[in-house]
Amino acid sequence: MNQACRAAPVIAAMLLGGCSTPPPVDNATLVRQVTATERAFAATMARRDFAAFQAFLAEEAIFDGGREPLRGKAAVAAAWQGYFKGEQAPFSWDPDRVVVLDSGTLAQSGGPVLDPQGKLTARFNSIWRQEAPGVWRIVFDKGEPVCDCIVQPRK
């Protein structure tokens, strides 16, 4: 048996070992990843960094908060570009709740949206998809205005 034939099983084992899936990541770690990703996404607004903002958008992202949903990364970016003009951000946000599927494929984040004076104006809800280990991109986003409404009890 020549040397190449003897080495073939060793090389095959090495190649197959490189194809194995990484060990699962526990849910608490995934929640920390998504929380950090959401905060980094929000920081793009504070830093006025439109290019960085776009990097968080999935190609098929849908942002629903206006008359019609914005469909696709290009449409979302075009609509949000105006928010990055000027020295001061028109609003800020921070997650106060993050949950991740046990599969680690999707996550939901939500929290308050504040105006430049720190007044609560809305709540956001976002869905994130893990596109590679530790790489999360936003696929759905919806903002809902808040009001100082008094809810009447049901009778």
Side-chain angles (χ1 to χ4, degrees), residues 40-56 80-81 83-87 89 93:
F41 185 51
T44 66
M45 178 68 73
R47 287 192 325 269
R48 322 305 291 131
D49 189 345
F50 183 60
F53 169 84
Q54 293 176 82
F56 288 93
W80 276 63
Q81 189 170 17
Y83 294 132
F84 286 84
K85 299 200 185 306
E87 287 187 31
W93 68 93

Side-chain angles (χ1 to χ4, degrees), residues 15-39:
L15 289 173
L16 288 174
C19 294
S20 65
T21 58
V25 178
D26 67 277
N27 199 272
T29 299
L30 294 171
V31 167
R32 285 190 297 274
Q33 284 179 2
V34 174
T35 301
T37 301
E38 181 71 68
R39 288 186 172 139

Side-chain angles (χ1 to χ4, degrees), residues 48-136:
R48 322 305 291 131
D49 189 345
F50 183 60
F53 169 84
Q54 293 176 82
F56 288 93
L57 302 174
E59 287 299 324
E60 59 185 341
I62 295 176
F63 276 41
D64 187 13
R67 277 191 132 192
E68 293 292 324
L70 302 169
R71 299 180 82 72
K73 181 177 182 173
V76 172
W80 276 63
Q81 189 170 17
Y83 294 132
F84 286 84
K85 299 200 185 306
E87 287 187 31
Q88 184 177 25
F91 54 88
S92 62
W93 68 93
D94 190 49
D96 62 9
R97 182 157 175 86
V98 173
V99 293
V100 182
L101 290 177
D102 288 339
S103 66
T105 56
L106 293 174
Q108 179 186 27
S109 60
V113 178
L114 307 174
D115 71 10
Q117 291 72 44
K119 181 180 181 216
L120 177 67
T121 60
R123 283 198 57 86
F124 75 90
N125 287 288
S126 301
I127 305 295
W128 295 85
R129 178 175 58 208
Q130 187 169 204
E131 295 192 344
V135 177
W136 294 87

Side-chain angles (χ1 to χ4, degrees), residues 145-152:
V146 295
C147 67
D148 296 329
C149 307
I150 297 174
V151 178
Q152 298 295 322

Side-chain angles (χ1 to χ4, degrees), residues 1-12:
M1 181 182 277
N2 71 26
Q3 205 162 1
C5 290
R6 284 186 293 230
V10 174
I11 292 170

